[in-house]
Amino acid sequence: MSSESSQPLTHSLTLPTQLDQPIQIIAAPGVSDSQFRTAIESSLFKQWLKNLESENGILATGSFLLKQVLVQGVDMFGQRMGFLKFKADIFNKETGVKIPGVVFARGPAVTVLILLDSEGETYAVLTEQVRVPTGRLVLELPAGMLDADKGDFVGTAVREVEEETGIHLTLGDMVDLTAFLDPSTGGRVFPSP
């Protein structure tokens, strides 16, 4: 990595699916050396690279080429990575067309669907949250990010419900809805990729 202030911070890496085409990773202006290193060493970024080359990954068929990644922002939650924003330049090899590549990565999270039955009616419990990106208050399902990459999903779900709604649940009250997913999903849901 370069450390001169007049030159952008850069890092090069090679992926097994494109050994003859190293990928340039560049820090956008305003991204510090520390943030840049944290970004490219983070499990979020490494998992994204791994996903690109997985069986269903964008690079798996050899039809696409990743040329460059521009790290645009790093938000830390204390000592852990909260959010990572970057732009990936991925091209269709045959047509040369660039595919949309803005990535807003965050760690694992849980969402809890609470259904209440009352007098023959079923209600979903929502919580009102301030959401700056929308510029307003929104009603949403109770949700939250895990404290670690391999955190306790059920424990986090119970904690988030109590923090956001005041409803106390026990681990026994929980049903893991991802258990009903087709195994090909890896037990994961991406509500808004």
Side-chain angles (χ1 to χ4, degrees), residues 132-166:
V132 174
T134 67
R136 59 191 179 132
L137 295 169
V138 297
L139 291 175
E140 61 184 37
L141 295 169
M145 293 180 62
L146 274 65
D147 291 331
D149 290 335
K150 304 244 187 268
D152 174 16
F153 282 89
V154 178
T156 299
V158 168
R159 185 181 69 251
E160 290 297 330
V161 167
E162 188 157 4
E163 287 175 7
E164 294 182 13
T165 69

Side-chain angles (χ1 to χ4, degrees), residues 10-26 45 48-49 52-53 59 65-70 87-90:
T10 63
H11 180 76
S12 181
L13 66 87
T14 305
L15 296 176
T17 55
Q18 53 182 67
L19 292 171
D20 59 335
Q21 290 281 341
I23 301 149
Q24 287 300 110
I25 306 171
I26 302 168
F45 188 70
W48 178 75
L49 290 171
L52 286 175
E53 297 192 294
L59 302 179
L65 177 68
L66 172 60
K67 290 188 177 181
Q68 177 178 292
V69 174
L70 177 67
K87 212 159 90 173
D89 291 343
I90 298 179

Side-chain angles (χ1 to χ4, degrees), residues 55-73:
E55 183 180 343
N56 297 323
I58 295 170
L59 302 179
T61 65
S63 299
F64 295 95
L65 177 68
L66 172 60
K67 290 188 177 181
Q68 177 178 292
V69 174
L70 177 67
V71 176
Q72 298 174 307

Side-chain angles (χ1 to χ4, degrees), residues 38 44 74-84 104-109 131 144-148:
T38 298
L44 287 177
V74 177
D75 290 313
M76 302 297 290
F77 296 170
Q79 294 297 309
R80 69 181 175 93
M81 174 77 66
F83 301 111
L84 173 59
F104 182 76
R106 67 178 201 164
R131 294 297 179 218
M145 293 180 62
L146 274 65
D147 291 331

Side-chain angles (χ1 to χ4, degrees), residues 98-185:
K98 183 177 168 181
I99 61 173
V102 174
V103 179
F104 182 76
R106 67 178 201 164
V110 297
T111 301
V112 183
L113 174 62
I114 303 171
L115 298 176
L116 297 177
D117 288 322
S118 175
E119 300 178 6
E121 296 286 330
T122 302
Y123 300 91
V125 174
L126 301 175
T127 182
E128 188 175 58
Q129 300 278 5
V130 175
R131 294 297 179 218
V132 174
T134 67
R136 59 191 179 132
L137 295 169
V138 297
L139 291 175
E140 61 184 37
L141 295 169
M145 293 180 62
L146 274 65
D147 291 331
D149 290 335
K150 304 244 187 268
D152 174 16
F153 282 89
V154 178
T156 299
V158 168
R159 185 181 69 251
E160 290 297 330
V161 167
E162 188 157 4
E163 287 175 7
E164 294 182 13
T165 69
I167 298 171
H168 178 73
L169 299 173
T170 66
L171 296 180
D173 294 325
M174 306 301 287
V175 175
D176 180 3
L177 296 178
T178 62
F180 298 104
L181 295 172
D182 185 276
S184 67
T185 67

